[in-house]
Amino acid sequence: MSQHNRTETPQEQLVKETYIFPKGILGFEELKSFELQQHDEVFSLFSAVEEHSVAFVTVNPFDFDPEYEFELSPESVEDLAVTDPSDVQVRCIVTLHEEIRHATANLLAPVVFNTHKKMGKQIVLQNTSYKTKHALWRNEDFLNKDGGI
């Protein structure tokens, strides 16, 4: 099975990477195969291979919160077959609202990928202050220098 499927777009070729999630993801435990495709420099699409209607917008949480951190449990390291930390990639599911400035990310339950082994797992962090609806942008990020939006 190919792990990279190329799709032609008008602007460029986008790479879809397929990952196996042996335990599925929260709420979709029956789905085991997901694709991750970068959409632009900020957002990526995370979608189920078996059920195309199950798709999420994701972001790299470190782009929005450079201090975001968590430690993978030994169980997660084993489930993901991680042998080299540089193979780990993290994405957080985004909730979009009518105005993009109100978008939030689920920092409490990141989706973790082993890019080398093409394995994935959504984990729920314990004993943390991270929330399921963490604002991606601060209000001042949208204010222009005159104080308007």
Side-chain angles (χ1 to χ4, degrees):
M1 181 170 102
S2 172
Q3 297 297 314
H4 294 274
N5 303 313
R6 293 201 167 267
T7 304
E8 292 276 339
T9 67
Q11 296 89 20
E12 60 185 276
Q13 286 188 331
L14 299 175
V15 175
K16 286 184 181 179
E17 294 185 324
T18 303
Y19 293 88
I20 301 302
F21 284 68
K23 297 178 182 175
I25 63 170
L26 298 172
F28 300 96
E29 289 79 7
E30 73 282 5
L31 301 176
K32 308 296 185 196
S33 184
F34 288 84
E35 292 177 331
L36 183 65
Q37 180 179 20
Q38 193 68 33
H39 175 70
D40 59 23
E41 66 274 1
V42 176
F43 298 106
S44 54
L45 184 64
F46 176 63
S47 57
V49 172
E50 301 103 325
E51 180 59 55
H52 296 292
S53 64
V54 177
F56 306 92
V57 173
T58 65
V59 294
N60 178 347
F62 306 106
D63 289 345
F64 294 91
D65 185 351
E67 296 180 14
Y68 180 63
E69 67 178 356
F70 61 88
E71 189 169 319
L72 284 176
S73 68
E75 176 191 355
S76 292
V77 169
E78 183 176 327
D79 288 348
L80 290 163
V82 174
T83 56
D84 183 348
S86 69
D87 292 335
V88 174
Q89 184 179 58
V90 178
R91 291 284 186 260
C92 289
I93 293 175
V94 171
T95 300
L96 296 173
H97 297 274
E98 192 169 318
E99 293 185 43
I100 191 71
R101 68 183 180 153
H102 297 303
T104 59
N106 182 348
L107 297 186
L108 185 64
V111 182
V112 182
F113 302 88
N114 180 333
T115 59
H116 179 68
K117 301 282 176 95
K118 301 301 180 198
M119 302 284 294
K121 181 178 184 179
Q122 186 175 27
I123 61 174
V124 178
L125 303 179
Q126 305 293 318
N127 303 317
T128 180
S129 62
Y130 294 123
K131 303 175 283 186
T132 58
K133 294 185 178 182
H134 180 86
L136 286 179
W137 292 282
R138 298 167 299 172
N139 283 337
E140 53 269 21
D141 292 340
F142 285 91
L143 297 176
N144 64 29
K145 60 184 174 188
D146 297 326
I149 295 177

